[in-house]
Amino acid sequence: MRRLLLALSLAVMALPAAAAVGSRAYELPRGGGYPHDVAVSADGTVWYTAQRDGKLGRLDPTTGKIDLVPLGDGAAPHGVIVGPDGAPWVTEGGTNAIVRVDARTREVKRWPLPPSRKWANLNTATFDKRGRIWFTGQSGVYGRLDPATGDMTVWDAPRGRGPYGITTTPDGAVYYASLAGNYIARVDLESGAATVIEPPTREQGARRVWSDSKGRVWVSEWNSGNVSVYDPTTTTWKTWRLPGDSPHTYAVYVDADDTVWLSDWGANAVVRFTPSTEKFEVFPSDKRGANVRQILGRPGEVWAPESGNDRLVVFRTR
C-alpha cells in the first residue's frame, strides 16, 4: 500500500502544469453578444465590447449577471481596457471616438477624433504613466488623448494602414503593432514620432503586442503563426512557431507570472507558452469557431472572449 501511495503521489507531482488550469464559460445574452475585447477590473468585474450590438457589457462572474450599456447610435466598439481611474475605456469605431463609461453610474462620455480623421477604424488603447490614453486605428493612424484637458493628437503611421495592438511597458514606454505594415513601433511620448522596429520574420503580420514585467515586448504574428519577443535592452529578438499544422496567432497577453497566453485560430484554441521552458500547452475550445480576438486578465485569471460563440471563457490558474 505504501508503494502504491508513493507512486500515486509521484504521478500527481508529475502532471503537466496544464492540469492545474480550470476554465468556465459564460454565455452572453441576445442583444449583447459578439464579444470582441474583454477587460477585468481589480475587483473581478469583467467588461466586454459587444461590437455588433453597439454596447459595453458588464459581467459579474460571481453571479453570472450581465448588464449592458448602450454606447449610442451607430456604435461598434472594438477594444476595452480598465483605466487607472477604474473605469472602462473603449475604442469606439462606429462613432470614431474614445469613450469612457463610468463604472458606477454607467454615464457615457466620448472624445471624438478630429473631423480630418474620419473612419480611423479604431482598434486598441493603452494608458501611459501620465494618465494619457494612446490608441491605434487600422486605417493608418495612432493617437493620444489627455482626458484631463481633452487635448487629442492623431499621427499618420509609418507605412500607412495597419496599426492594431498597443501596450505600455513597466518603465512607461508605448509600443504598437502594425498588422498590414508588418512591424512594431516605439512611440516618442512627447513628439509622437514612431520608430519602426523590424521583426526577424518577413511579412509576419504583427497583430497584437504585450509587455512582460521586464519590459520585453511580446508579439502575436498572424501570418507566420509565430510568437516573438523583442528585448529593448539588447535590441534582440527570439521567435517560436506555435504547435500544429497551420497556426494563426491572433491575441497575446502576458500574465502576472510572465507566462504568455495566445489565441490560435488555426487550432481553435487558447495557447499557454512558458518562456523559461519554451513549452506550449494548448487548450482547444469545446465549440467550433471560437474566434478569440483578444485576451486580458488579472493575477490568477485569464479571460478570452469567444466572438464566434457569444461567450466569455475564463482560465483560472490559482
Side-chain angles (χ1 to χ4, degrees), residues 34-82:
Y34 196 77
H36 199 290
D37 281 21
V38 67
V40 57
S41 301
D43 65 359
T45 300
V46 178
W47 302 91
Y48 72 93
T49 50
Q51 189 177 56
R52 287 181 180 165
D53 298 305
K55 297 171 184 173
L56 181 68
R58 179 190 182 275
L59 165 69
D60 182 340
T62 305
T63 64
K65 183 175 186 249
I66 293 173
D67 299 313
L68 296 169
V69 182
L71 298 179
D73 293 341
H78 189 289
V80 59
I81 58 172
V82 175

Side-chain angles (χ1 to χ4, degrees), residues 154-190:
V154 181
W155 293 272
D156 291 317
R159 304 182 189 173
R161 66 186 186 87
Y164 201 100
I166 193 168
T167 190
T168 303
T169 64
D171 66 358
V174 172
Y175 291 81
Y176 74 83
S178 177
L179 173 60
N182 295 296
Y183 66 86
I184 68 170
R186 177 168 177 158
V187 179
D188 185 290
L189 299 184
E190 300 313 314

Side-chain angles (χ1 to χ4, degrees), residues 90-150:
V90 178
T91 42
E92 211 301 274
T95 59
N96 209 43
I98 304 301
V99 170
R100 178 190 185 273
V101 176
D102 189 283
R104 184 177 60 84
T105 67
R106 312 293 192 268
E107 177 188 4
V108 176
K109 183 175 181 179
R110 67 183 65 248
W111 288 265
L113 268 65
S116 60
R117 298 293 186 172
K118 293 180 179 179
W119 316 118
N121 194 2
L122 289 171
N123 210 283
T124 318
T126 188
F127 276 89
D128 66 19
K129 298 294 186 180
R130 291 175 51 182
R132 301 173 300 182
I133 186 168
W134 293 79
F135 54 88
T136 57
Q138 273 199 89
S139 66
V141 300
Y142 61 97
R144 181 186 67 203
L145 165 69
D146 186 341
T149 64

Side-chain angles (χ1 to χ4, degrees), residues 164 207-210 219-222 226-227 242 248-253 260-265 270-271 292-296 303-305:
Y164 201 100
R207 189 149 209 161
R208 289 190 183 265
V209 284
W210 201 263
V219 185
S220 58
E221 299 180 3
W222 174 251
N226 295 338
V227 57
L242 270 62
H248 285 283
T249 321
Y250 201 120
V252 61
Y253 166 68
V260 182
W261 295 79
L262 309 135
S263 64
D264 178 5
W265 280 34
V270 168
V271 178
V292 174
R293 302 169 187 272
Q294 179 257 6
I295 302 173
L296 210 56
W303 287 83

Side-chain angles (χ1 to χ4, degrees), residues 300-316:
E301 294 182 355
V302 176
W303 287 83
E306 292 193 351
S307 61
N309 293 324
D310 285 341
R311 65 180 188 172
L312 305 179
V313 177
V314 59
F315 296 89
R316 292 193 168 95

